[in-house]
């Protein structure tokens, strides 16, 4: 009975749908994660972005597992466990399949590091969280190489739009940080009033105290 279900299950459609959906959800998760760091994101909007950033990333991870399991039971071109778990060992599209495996591992590290953020500390959490970028890029290239629909005009537009969107919002966030930097350094002039200087020292002391508390956790 189980074999009959596997033989007649439209596995190829599941592979395509789950792969595309996982990619789009990862795009949404990465985009929202970057967007919540913009100065305009405050209060409820920032909290909502964070919630959806977490949800979409976890959904992408879950669909990635479904995508891999369907590849394993596919009756047309099945993958072995070693081909799926060891990068660049697949007999079909080894480079593209390997990038998909690396993306899966990178996303797993990002999710685990988020759950262990208090134990890792902010510094190491940021290091691990930056793997979201290579994980997204690997999945983008994986879809373009191995996807049977990658030659479709609509899919090409989707890949171009999502890739450029991540690049654009990353550059925008970087420019916002550079613009914020000079505003801090402008205050270091001789005409600065005493209350402002005291306030700056108070803020610096607060940051230092917060750093010590972070290391003690």
């Amino acid at each position: 009975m189980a074999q009959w279900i596997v033989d007649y299950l439209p596995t190829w459609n599941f592979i395509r749908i789950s792969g595309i959906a996982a990619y789009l959800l990862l795009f949404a998760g990465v985009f929202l994660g970057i967007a919540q760091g913009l100065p305009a994101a405050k209060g409820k909007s920032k909290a909502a972005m964070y919630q959806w950033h977490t949800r979409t990333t976890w959904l992408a991870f879950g669909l990635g597992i479904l995508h891999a399991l369907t590849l394993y039971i596919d009756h047309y071109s099945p993958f072995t466990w070693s081909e799926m778990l060891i990068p660049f060992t697949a007999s079909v599209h080894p480079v593209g399949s390997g990038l998909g495996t690396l993306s899966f591992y990178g996303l797993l590290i990002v999710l685990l590091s988020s759950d262990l953020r208090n134990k890792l500390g902010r510094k190491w959490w940021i290091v691990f969280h930056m793997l979201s970028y290579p994980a997204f890029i690997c999945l983008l290239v994986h879809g373009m190489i191995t996807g049977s629909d990658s030659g479709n005009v609509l899919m090409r537009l989707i890949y171009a739009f999502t890739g450029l969107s991540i690049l654009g919002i990353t550059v925008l966030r970087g420019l916002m940080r550079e613009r914020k930097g000079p505003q801090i350094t402008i205050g270091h002039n001789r005409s600065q009033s005493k209350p402002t200087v005291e306030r700056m020292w108070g803020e610096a002391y607060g940051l230092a105290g917060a750093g010590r508390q972070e290391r003690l956790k």
Side-chain angles (χ1 to χ4, degrees):
M1 181 65 179
Q3 186 62 40
W4 182 86
I5 293 175
V6 171
D7 290 340
Y8 289 92
L9 191 70
T11 53
W12 189 244
N13 291 329
F14 277 114
I15 292 171
R16 293 162 60 193
I17 294 172
S18 60
I20 294 172
Y23 170 74
L24 292 176
L25 285 169
L26 182 59
F27 158 71
V30 175
F31 187 90
L32 290 172
I34 301 171
Q36 69 171 341
L38 294 173
K42 298 179 181 178
K44 293 182 178 180
S45 62
K46 185 180 182 71
M49 285 183 184
Y50 176 77
Q51 289 179 352
W52 282 106
H53 159 69
T54 305
R55 291 170 184 171
T56 52
T57 307
W58 272 107
L59 283 173
F61 182 72
L63 282 175
I65 295 177
L66 179 62
H67 181 71
L69 291 176
T70 311
L71 283 169
Y72 179 73
I73 65 173
D74 182 38
H75 56 273
Y76 177 73
S77 181
F79 277 59
T80 64
W81 284 115
S82 61
E83 287 179 324
M84 290 189 296
L85 296 176
I86 304 176
F88 311 113
T89 60
S91 57
V92 180
H93 297 299
V95 175
S97 299
L99 291 174
T101 302
L102 291 178
S103 177
F104 178 82
Y105 289 148
L107 188 56
L108 177 61
I109 293 174
V110 170
L111 292 172
L112 290 177
S113 65
S114 296
D115 291 338
L116 300 173
R117 179 174 180 175
N118 292 333
K119 294 182 179 180
L120 291 172
R122 180 174 175 80
K123 178 182 177 180
W124 282 108
W125 171 78
I126 291 177
V127 171
F128 288 125
H129 216 69
M130 289 298 290
L131 290 175
S132 301
Y133 282 100
F136 173 78
I137 295 172
C138 285
L139 197 59
L140 169 62
V141 180
H142 164 76
M144 294 176 64
I145 294 177
T146 65
S148 59
D149 299 319
S150 56
N152 185 279
V153 176
L154 179 59
M155 286 306 304
R156 289 182 179 180
L157 290 175
I158 289 176
Y159 287 135
F161 171 77
T162 52
L164 291 174
S165 295
I166 295 298
L167 177 62
I169 196 169
T170 301
V171 172
L172 177 62
R173 183 168 174 176
L175 292 175
M176 289 294 182
R177 284 185 176 181
E178 290 182 1
R179 184 179 300 177
K180 187 177 179 180
Q183 293 178 355
I184 298 175
T185 57
I186 287 175
H188 295 282
N189 53 48
R190 296 180 179 179
S191 62
Q192 193 175 38
S193 61
K194 183 177 181 180
T196 305
V197 174
E198 292 176 353
R199 185 166 58 252
M200 290 178 60
W201 276 107
E203 291 174 355
Y205 179 80
L207 291 173
R212 287 195 297 270
Q213 292 177 2
E214 185 70 25
R215 290 193 295 270
L216 290 175
K217 290 183 178 180

